[in-house]
Amino acid sequence: MDDTKQIYTCLLHVIPNLRHIGSYAKLSAPGYMDLHVDIQNKNGSVLRIALAHNYKSGGDVIPDPDMEVAVDFDNETAQAATYQDTFVYREATDERSREDLNEFLLMWLGNQIEQGHKLVESSSIG
């Protein structure tokens, strides 16, 4: 199975109702940072979402990490588009950077599954 199929499978394991989220969702697991999901763009069966863990520093909310992910429900694929943390911002601009970001995303989603993140709040499509 290629990475984009694995990422799609893991993403739907973490967020089973992803297709039906209106604009926002929050997932929690005891002892871990919440995972925030923002729907940025919908175009037919393709979504662009942002996934982020956030912490506060000096009153500011800091995403660490924050990734944008393109999800294609028809092809059952998902892949990283961007990554940022406190120190760096990266875009998947070529095959190598896309592979690197997808590798991190797959590991990160695996951590969310292992930690037991569950949906606790979401807006839904009317």
Side-chain angles (χ1 to χ4, degrees):
M1 181 184 297
D2 75 28
D3 281 354
T4 63
K5 298 275 188 190
Q6 285 183 293
I7 292 168
Y8 179 84
T9 299
C10 289
L11 191 60
L12 289 185
H13 185 91
V14 174
I15 316 164
N17 67 331
L18 180 59
R19 183 172 245 173
H20 305 290
I21 292 172
S23 61
Y24 170 78
K26 180 172 83 172
L27 296 95
S28 291
Y32 296 98
M33 294 172 72
D34 291 339
L35 180 66
H36 300 271
V37 181
D38 291 296
I39 307 300
Q40 296 181 317
N41 187 5
K42 294 181 182 186
N43 185 4
S45 69
V46 178
L47 288 181
R48 183 150 175 141
I49 64 172
L51 301 173
H53 286 307
N54 296 315
Y55 68 92
K56 287 191 176 184
S57 176
D60 294 325
V61 177
I62 311 295
D64 191 19
D66 180 334
M67 293 191 81
E68 291 182 15
V69 180
V71 183
D72 184 333
F73 289 102
D74 284 350
N75 292 310
E76 297 183 347
T77 61
Q79 61 184 334
T82 67
Y83 169 93
Q84 70 177 347
D85 62 23
T86 307
F87 305 105
V88 68
Y89 175 83
R90 291 183 59 199
E91 290 185 56
T93 55
D94 58 28
E95 190 62 31
R96 180 66 187 150
S97 61
R98 187 172 326 293
E99 286 175 7
D100 288 347
L101 294 184
N102 280 344
E103 185 178 308
F104 177 83
L105 178 57
L106 193 54
M107 183 265 314
W108 189 31
L109 290 170
N111 288 346
Q112 306 314 300
I113 292 168
E114 186 177 298
Q115 294 166 0
H117 277 77
K118 301 289 184 210
L119 186 68
V120 294
E121 179 182 333
S122 75
S123 64
S124 51
I125 296 174

